[in-house]
Amino acid sequence: SRAENRYDPEAEARTQRAALLADAVAGLTAERKTLPCKWLYDAEGARLFEDIIRLPEYYPTRTETAILRGCAAEVAALAGPGAAVVEFGSGSAEKVGLLFDAMERPAAYVPVDIAPEWLEEGAARVAAAHPGLTVLPVVADFTRPFPLPRLPRGTPLLGFFPGSTIGNFTPDTAREFLRMAGRILGPGSRMLIGADRVKDQAVLEAAYDDAAGVTAAFNMNLLARLNRELGADFDLSAFRHEARWNAEKERIEMHLVSLRPQLVRMAGRRLRFAGGETIHTENSHKYRPEGFTALCAAAGWQAERHWGDADGLFSVWLLKQ
Ligand code: AVI
């Protein structure tokens, strides 16, 4: 019934807490301790991330936005008149307006996000800025298959996945995601994706360990969250943030380093940390053009065009299948 399908914030909070507990227990009792990066984004984490994208050291957001501004007309022409945009993990939907400004008679905007409050806010912002545009939000985990809303037959589809979020997947998971997105969007569709590039190690490490300590606070918030939501007793002064370039895997890794041997209590368990032991909290893979082209090809997508900035920091890719 409709009542059963209605979004229930309390039930959702219970489900989320159970999932956080399961991930925290599995990740923190493993031989190499890890926590999935999706848990970085509670309300406090989302607020800190908004600060990160404005940091002088964090080049990806402003570089990608400038590239999108420059290529939007070309993307719009290739997507064709009357196309619909499906944004995977739309969040606050800050960048998609650059596409709609350039598109001719766009059929619809389909923002997809697991967080209903962000989804609604982003959808409302885009609808207000583009009167007459049909906005069809979908509450879904965009990493799993989801049904698209009904669109007029023959509507050209353009997937949109900005921000280099693809870099937070391992290459295997990224390939699976691209393959799934291809199935959802169907034959003949296109996809516009932002991907950060391999570059000077010092530039990369500064972007993930800024002088103001915002990224450190973003990473440490994960431990604060385990204390708040699971009643753990992490001593935040006994851990520090670290951003490491893994040259072999061409990724930045975020870790939380235990400053001394210690015992932490969490949900009836005792978690033992050696001095210097880390919790690996995030990967941010950086791509060379040839590697990204190969990844897309392995997922059934052809790289049709790509655009970059003069310093070679970041790329925006238009894929076609
Ligand atoms: C969301 N994602 C693309 C960011 C990144 O650059 O990998 C997350 C982030 N982590 C630390 N700073 C930003």
Side-chain angles (χ1 to χ4, degrees), residues 19-39:
L20 173 64
L21 177 61
D23 280 355
V25 168
L28 298 179
T29 57
E31 190 165 347
R32 287 183 176 212
K33 294 183 172 61
T34 59
L35 285 169
C37 66
K38 67 173 181 179
W39 299 114

Side-chain angles (χ1 to χ4, degrees), residues 62-147:
R62 60 175 170 277
T63 309
E64 181 185 51
T65 302
I67 298 170
L68 285 172
R69 203 165 272 130
C71 72
E74 231 175 309
V75 172
L78 287 163
V85 177
V86 178
E87 183 167 4
F88 293 83
S90 52
S92 50
E94 304 270 5
K95 295 167 188 156
V96 75
L98 295 169
L99 297 181
F100 288 123
D101 288 342
M103 285 170 71
E104 201 182 320
R105 290 179 283 105
Y109 174 45
V110 183
V112 183
D113 205 288
I114 197 161
E117 55 291 357
W118 293 11
L119 182 71
E120 287 307 325
E121 200 186 301
R125 164 147 10 89
V126 174
H130 302 274
L133 178 69
T134 303
V135 180
L136 304 166
V138 174
V139 184
D141 173 353
F142 71 84
T143 64
R144 305 233 177 90
F146 58 87

Side-chain angles (χ1 to χ4, degrees), residues 40-41 49 52 58 60 163-165 167-168 207-208 215 218 254 282-284 286:
L40 289 163
Y41 301 89
F49 185 66
I52 287 176
Y58 194 75
S164 193
T165 305
N168 298 131
Y208 292 84
T215 311
F218 175 66
M254 291 209 311
E282 187 186 59
N283 290 317
S284 197
K286 309 303 169 188

